[in-house]
Amino acid sequence: MDEKKQATFGSDGELRTDDEATDKTNGEGATTNDFGDECGENETKSGVNRYTVSSLLQKAVRRSDEEIAAWAAWELVRSGYAWNFWDRINLYIVEDLRAGHEVALTIDRYEELARERWSEDSWQGRLCAVHAALAAARATSSRESAHADDYFSELSVERATAYEEGREPRFDHPADDLEIDGKYDVAFDQHTYEGKKRGRGGAYFRTHGARVGPEEEPELSRRWRLRSMKLENRDYTDEQLARAVAPVKAEDRWSDGNARND
């Protein structure tokens, strides 16, 4: 492996390196370690390899170990590898934390402060890195995006292989049911060519495609939807109005399929 490239791991754990065009080697690292010896290539001031510290940081975030995450961040930054830390911690947001967590904005703000208000290798820059690492370690850990990427990739390969071998795939593939009158029939509304051909206009979208669930819409939202429909230049039946604001069932989210055109 070219030691000048940033090391990273795919969701399957396989070691990869970035392309030279995207390598962020704008930090030279420490010149001497804590023992007064000259640092080797990619060595931190504690005398360990920065790739190992970066890997430890990621595992600490996954395992919600705040102290180890904070130390790894501090070690990388004080050793001249702040660019490495910020590159990695932003990756961990999408690879190791649950989707939608506000920590992404928190870390982005600390990076902005470290890079633009102060300097990455300053005292303030180190504090920003520690805060960012702590925020990541305290967030809800999840590998859901990485697992999804693995599964969908393997599923697509399995589907193609099954087709070539003349057999059924081992798991269902959404694309095989994505057709009008199929399981996901409700997707074919006015926003699709097939839906337009079926004459599925605004009324169909409101009574089928715009439904949410399994939680019910808030009362104010329900009121707005119903009043909006009643103000349209269209006569809705009581059944259609009720359907428009009724939540889909958790056990059968796609039961709107094969419904008549409205």
Side-chain angles (χ1 to χ4, degrees), residues 154-170:
E154 294 293 343
L155 181 62
S156 293
V157 172
E158 162 64 12
R159 179 175 180 245
T161 301
Y163 176 80
E164 293 177 357
E165 296 176 352
R167 60 175 176 82
E168 290 295 318
R170 288 184 290 167

Side-chain angles (χ1 to χ4, degrees), residues 204-224:
Y204 180 89
F205 175 74
R206 288 163 180 75
T207 56
H208 294 76
R211 291 178 63 196
V212 302
E215 299 297 326
E216 191 173 53
E217 287 264 24
E219 180 58 33
L220 187 57
S221 179
R222 287 166 51 85
R223 187 192 314 164
W224 285 335

Side-chain angles (χ1 to χ4, degrees), residues 10 22 31 35 51 63 98 111 127-128 135 137 145 165 167 171 174 200 204 214 232 240 251:
T22 58
T31 56
F35 307 101
Y51 293 110
R63 288 161 172 74
R98 187 170 182 175
E111 181 179 9
L127 296 192
C128 286
S145 62
E165 296 176 352
R167 60 175 176 82
F171 297 99
R200 295 177 174 179
Y204 180 89
E232 290 180 30
Q240 289 174 321
E251 63 274 15

Side-chain angles (χ1 to χ4, degrees), residues 10-79:
S11 57
D12 56 1
E14 181 181 355
L15 181 64
R16 302 172 185 172
T17 57
D18 296 336
D19 294 332
E20 288 288 353
T22 58
D23 188 22
K24 298 182 178 180
T25 52
N26 58 321
E28 299 301 326
T31 56
T32 58
N33 60 29
D34 292 337
F35 307 101
D37 300 324
E38 184 178 351
C39 284
E41 187 174 13
N42 296 307
E43 182 183 354
T44 71
K45 292 182 75 66
S46 289
V48 293
N49 189 282
R50 70 176 172 90
Y51 293 110
T52 303
V53 179
S54 179
S55 182
L56 178 64
L57 171 64
Q58 185 170 32
K59 306 310 185 291
V61 168
R62 289 177 185 170
R63 288 161 172 74
S64 302
D65 190 322
E66 299 175 16
E67 183 172 357
I68 296 303
W71 176 82
W74 177 83
E75 177 68 8
L76 287 171
V77 173
R78 74 152 181 152
S79 299

